[in-house]
Amino acid sequence: MTVPASPERPSLLTARPAGPLPGTQKVGGTARNLWLHALVLGWFVAEAVLVVVHRFVPEAVWLMVHVLMLGAVSTAILVWSQHFADTMLRRQAPGGRPLHVARLAAHTVGALLVVAGLLTDVWSLVVAGGVLVGAGALTHATVLVLQGRGALPSRFGRLVRYYVVAAACLPVGVTLGVLMARGGAGTEAYGRLYVAHVTLNVLGWVGLTVLGTLVLLWPTVLRTRIEPDADVAARRALPVLAAGILLVVAACAVGWRPVVAAGAAVVLGGVLLVGRHLASQGRAAQRGAWGFAAWSLAASVGWFAGSVAAFGIQVAAAPSWAAAQDAIGGLLLPFVVGFAAQVLLGALTYLVPVVLGGGPARRRRTEAVVGAGGAYRVLVANGGLALYLLPLPSWVRVGLSLVVFATFLAFLVLALRAVFVSRGDAVTRGDAVSGDDASLPAAAPSPARPPVPGAASLTTAAPPLGTRRGDAARAVAARRDAQARRPLAGAVTAAVATLALAVVGGVAADPVAAGVGSGVVGGGAVAGTGGAGVPVAATGRTTTVQVEAADMRFVPDTITVPAGDRLVVELTNTDDDVHDLVLEDGTTSGRVAPGETVTVDVGVVGGDLDGWCSVAGHRLMGMTLTIDAEGTGSEGSGGTLAAGDGTDAHHGHTSAGSGEEDSLAASDVDLMTHPGDGFTARDATLAPAEIDPAGEPVVHRRTLTVTETVQEVAPGVEQTVWTFGGTAPGPVLRGKIGDVFEITLVNDGTIGHSVDFHAGALAPDEPMRTIAPGESLVYRFTATRAGIWMYHCSTMPMSLHIANGMFGAVVVDPPDLAPVDREYVVVQSELYLGAQGASADDAKVAAAEPDLLAFNGYANQYRYDPLDARIGERVRVWVLDAGPNRPSAFHVVGGQFDTVYHEGAYSLPAGTAGGSQVLGLLPAQGGFVELAFPEAGTYPFVTHAMSDAERGASGAFAVAP
């Protein structure tokens, strides 16, 4: 028998004030209210789409975070916090349903305006959106305050204060976000705004709402008793939580980073006050009550507590506020995915069946549908997220992210299926009660049978001990508990298998990065042979040597070990880039991240061994290691008994010159071959610079994601290029003097990369630093001088990174730049061909012996697909020589330049009687030429270093009448 609800023990499912409340009938389950909850799912669908296409979307990381947090999570808070307040206060909210709908509409429009403003760099849209979002939150807080003032005293009524304080945090946090949208990333002021913004929005708006709601939602989900003093603990925790948040914001205001750690510790103390009772109720719940909703909610609180602790530590330990911004960027996944996304899915898994309504039987069916595979999904999501945060190879992390995303996406599929199941039941069965049984007024407490304090509204009174009925009930509970254990064991097995498959798939995609080579990893032979083939007996001793990878060197670079000894190398990477150690017998350390230490078991050493770092270009820069075996009487190559020939040990990100396959040569390429039907050259058209309508400098925000992509570079020739934004060269950026460029560099590669913008003048220490795979940084500079400027990866060896495609152009218009009819940009570069499909040959790069040259990344592409022009049109061609080694002498056959701009100045101003035949450029130099074509025809353009032109640095203009 269900225990009736009472004023001291409201039920989130059945408790109602006298008379129906707008927006709360059927817990939002009527057709006219269902759209409120569909709005949350709509944001979640948008988030899923973004995750799928994020590589092709600008500002993808920002979008994914804000569509989830500002869209789905915030909308859910506005919908359900009002419903829970109605339930706890048992009083209609001022303004009723119309005002609630108006708040939601203001928030939704505001969120969309913020997103649109950030994507289009229109700050006024961001301001308008921020005002709407802030106004909606303030109205929400005001309604809750007024609603509470007229309510009768109740045990849980004070929990509404959580929602009031949370709603007060959002307008301030949004205001800080609007200010950040104005620009300034990478500065100390921006870093302080960023930390305060995260604190108010994540810890305040979302965190406080979740903690206040869980006091009642958690025992309801578990169908267990509410702790007798849970409400008291929650009331005591709120001032603690609020004080901690204010302390962090104050630290940001005055610039004291250590105080942030103190504030985070205070917040964590408040979380533990609430969490202690949540844990107690979790232990008291029957095993069968632990479904997807319960496990997700529990995991989200765990991620929240851990993230708060890490947040305080990382900000306090950072050397500056700008560095703190980068440091806590690593907490985006724990905060957004581990906490916010999981708490949203856990709550919706419980609430969707309530919203869909129906009788008890129908609700049990929809609960079963939406919670299907719950334990498995929770284990995969949280296990995958935990593994992703470890320093694993890039492809392993990609596999883990896919399986985690799949578990979250499954909720959308199951929720949709639950809707069809519910609607089908309603049509085929016809409920005895029209609508939702939860919409009926709650039964009044019976004077003859007072409710048990702290009992949940869905629990039944326990049968008396020692009775036949009680024994039977306990036997049923025991059977259910045993039944619940069996699927849990299967879910654990399936989850472990899924995660293992993701890891194995990632390792297979890049074995060297995971420390797997074709040779022996870790040695282990019992005897070896010297260089003359003389057997070497194992001594039984072990020699352990500490080696550092530092400044592109192994220190020490020579190890002497008695022949027959087992050698163990403890390798520590103290550099700021990824390294590894590969020995000629195939033994490999795998990729070693900065600051990481690994142990390499070489095995019994029977002869001299050579070793090196196999990361592209590092061996040529001197990262070699020699193992000298004493007592072999030979200087020839040796190794362990199980040593292989090492011919496969250098794959992965090793360049072709390091010894995997034979590199292609220029003679292997037929430049007379047409690339094939449908070939389209890279668009060389240069779009006009963006202009602010008010005449203010424009802030150009771009995300450059480093990727490794197979790209055709000549007919039939494919190479693995390292790209900024998916293409080599990278995208062309354009602006005017005074404009600000705010570039977010995201490293999705497998080794360290960086970026250097010649168009900005600033200290290189922070913005040009090398970042490891999975990391990002913000590079901000102001364009103060005109010209066409190169940007490129500056990670050593720089020549190899540039040769592999990591370069691009920034055009900053001169103030007096005249309009023209057509404007093109061509970037000359060199191709040092590795094996088919491999990256550049580092030996060729070091020798400055390119196989091909190209304009815009593909040899002779504009011969196959010429640039367009018409007779008499003025055509401007911006030219950049990206090198890394060869100069350029840009010339148009049959044309004469009447204007030449070279390295920031006019060497031939317009309107003079003179002319020019070539624009000469050294590597990294640039300029532009202007000309008009006198008659129709095909006008080739080349570098007048003719051997280079014949190797692919040529194209053509197709001039029409």
Side-chain angles (χ1 to χ4, degrees), residues 577-629:
D577 198 358
V578 175
H579 295 298
D580 65 9
L581 173 62
V582 173
L583 300 180
E584 62 180 295
D585 67 355
T587 302
T588 176
S589 65
R591 294 291 161 81
V592 185
E596 186 181 1
T597 298
V598 299
T599 298
V600 183
D601 189 344
V602 180
V604 174
V605 176
D608 298 345
L609 284 170
D610 289 329
W612 55 86
C613 177
S614 73
V615 176
H618 290 195
R619 184 181 187 182
L620 284 178
M621 294 200 63
M623 287 203 75
T624 60
L625 179 74
T626 299
I627 299 174
D628 287 336

Side-chain angles (χ1 to χ4, degrees), residues 562-856:
D565 276 17
R566 177 185 177 213
L567 175 62
V568 176
V569 176
E570 294 179 353
L571 178 64
T572 301
N573 184 3
T574 60
D575 218 340
D576 59 358
D577 198 358
V578 175
H579 295 298
D580 65 9
L581 173 62
V582 173
L583 300 180
E584 62 180 295
D585 67 355
T587 302
T588 176
S589 65
R591 294 291 161 81
V592 185
E596 186 181 1
T597 298
V598 299
T599 298
V600 183
D601 189 344
V602 180
V604 174
V605 176
D608 298 345
L609 284 170
D610 289 329
W612 55 86
C613 177
S614 73
V615 176
H618 290 195
R619 184 181 187 182
L620 284 178
M621 294 200 63
M623 287 203 75
T624 60
L625 179 74
T626 299
I627 299 174
D628 287 336
E630 286 184 325
T632 63
S634 171
E635 295 180 357
S637 79
T640 64
L641 182 68
D645 60 11
T647 56
D648 252 354
H650 318 138
H651 61 286
H653 225 316
T654 310
S655 55
S658 297
E660 184 180 339
E661 299 179 53
D662 291 337
S663 296
L664 297 173
S667 59
D668 298 320
V669 182
D670 185 1
L671 290 180
M672 302 305 293
T673 301
H674 193 280
D677 295 338
F679 173 79
T680 302
R682 173 170 170 149
D683 188 3
T685 304
L686 182 62
E690 183 181 350
I691 300 175
D692 184 80
E696 296 294 322
V698 175
V699 179
H700 304 271
R701 293 185 179 88
R702 290 292 297 268
T703 296
L704 295 182
T705 302
V706 175
T707 60
E708 296 154 13
T709 305
V710 176
Q711 178 175 306
E712 190 174 55
V713 297
V717 179
E718 292 185 337
Q719 295 281 274
T720 296
V721 292
W722 307 344
T723 75
F724 289 119
T727 61
V732 177
L733 311 180
R734 190 174 194 180
K736 295 180 176 294
I737 291 176
D739 283 2
V740 175
F741 290 82
E742 190 173 290
I743 310 299
T744 301
L745 178 69
V746 179
N747 187 358
D748 273 358
T750 58
I751 62 172
H753 292 291
S754 58
V755 67
D756 172 6
F757 284 93
H758 293 187
L762 71 173
D765 306 64
E766 283 296 315
M768 300 183 198
R769 70 186 187 276
T770 296
I771 58 173
E775 295 183 354
S776 64
L777 61 78
V778 177
Y779 191 127
R780 180 183 173 87
F781 66 90
T782 300
T784 57
R785 299 183 185 277
I788 179 170
W789 303 87
M790 183 178 177
Y791 67 86
H792 60 90
C793 179
S794 57
T795 299
M796 301 300 288
M798 201 179 306
S799 58
L800 183 62
H801 285 251
I802 294 172
N804 265 315
M806 301 196 75
F807 58 86
V810 178
V811 175
V812 180
D813 290 356
D816 57 348
L817 189 64
V820 292
D821 297 300
R822 297 180 189 266
E823 208 164 3
Y824 295 108
V825 58
V826 293
V827 180
Q828 178 180 309
S829 61
E830 301 140 32
L831 298 169
Y832 300 84
L833 300 179
Q836 184 74 262
S839 55
D841 186 316
D842 53 7
K844 294 178 183 178
V845 176
E849 297 175 350
D851 297 295
L852 302 175
L853 281 87
F855 288 132
N856 292 344

Side-chain angles (χ1 to χ4, degrees), residues 230-541:
D231 56 320
V232 177
R235 290 199 298 268
R236 291 174 178 171
L238 179 58
V240 176
L241 292 164
I245 292 170
L246 289 174
L247 192 57
V248 174
V249 174
C252 296
V254 300
W256 294 346
R257 284 191 314 280
V259 180
V260 173
V266 174
V267 173
L268 187 59
V271 174
L272 294 178
L273 281 175
V274 176
R276 181 171 63 87
H277 290 277
L278 301 182
S280 177
Q281 291 162 353
R283 289 192 298 269
Q286 292 184 359
R287 185 177 296 272
W290 281 87
F292 180 80
W295 281 115
S296 292
L297 293 174
S300 69
V301 175
W303 282 109
F304 182 66
S307 300
V308 169
F311 174 80
I313 293 170
Q314 292 193 10
V315 173
S320 65
W321 286 100
Q325 176 190 344
D326 291 338
I328 62 178
L331 294 175
L332 275 178
L333 281 175
F335 267 135
V336 174
V337 179
F339 168 53
Q342 275 206 113
V343 80
L344 178 63
L345 293 186
L348 287 177
T349 297
Y350 176 75
L351 295 170
V352 163
V354 178
V355 172
L356 294 175
R362 194 206 301 181
R363 196 158 70 198
R364 282 194 297 272
R365 283 190 291 275
T366 54
E367 285 176 351
V369 170
V370 81
Y376 168 78
R377 287 189 282 146
V378 170
L379 288 168
V380 171
N382 289 276
L385 180 57
L387 289 173
Y388 185 94
L389 297 175
L390 298 176
L392 297 174
S394 177
W395 279 105
V396 174
R397 300 173 78 189
V398 169
L400 291 170
S401 66
L402 288 176
V403 297
V404 171
F405 173 66
T407 62
F408 288 166
L409 189 63
F411 168 78
L412 288 177
V413 178
L414 295 173
L416 183 61
R417 185 163 180 264
V419 171
F420 286 117
V421 168
S422 176
R423 293 296 175 255
D425 284 353
V427 172
T428 59
R429 295 174 180 270
D431 289 331
V433 179
S434 175
D436 189 341
D437 64 335
S439 67
L440 297 176
S446 171
R449 193 175 179 127
V452 180
S457 60
L458 293 181
T459 56
T460 59
L465 292 173
T467 65
R468 185 174 299 176
R469 177 170 172 248
D471 293 340
R474 278 182 287 279
V476 169
R479 284 197 302 272
R480 288 177 177 173
D481 186 70
Q483 291 169 355
R485 290 176 185 272
R486 287 196 293 272
L488 181 60
V492 171
T493 302
V496 170
T498 300
L499 295 175
L501 185 62
V503 172
V504 170
V507 170
D510 190 359
V512 170
V516 179
S518 62
V520 179
V521 182
V526 296
T529 58
V534 179
V536 177
T539 64
R541 297 188 300 264

Side-chain angles (χ1 to χ4, degrees), residues 839-927:
S839 55
D841 186 316
D842 53 7
K844 294 178 183 178
V845 176
E849 297 175 350
D851 297 295
L852 302 175
L853 281 87
F855 288 132
N856 292 344
Y858 191 105
N860 286 347
Q861 65 177 315
Y862 300 114
R863 281 174 47 183
Y864 313 122
D865 187 10
L867 304 180
D868 293 327
R870 290 186 176 276
I871 296 174
E873 288 183 335
R874 287 203 61 76
V875 178
R876 176 182 297 131
V877 184
W878 292 84
V879 186
L880 174 70
D881 181 9
N885 298 311
R886 307 284 290 181
S888 177
F890 186 77
H891 170 72
V892 176
V893 179
Q896 294 180 331
F897 307 144
D898 57 34
T899 304
V900 177
Y901 184 88
H902 179 270
E903 280 294 286
Y906 286 95
S907 58
L908 178 62
T912 62
S916 176
Q917 56 198 319
V918 74
L919 173 62
L921 302 170
L922 294 174
Q925 287 189 329

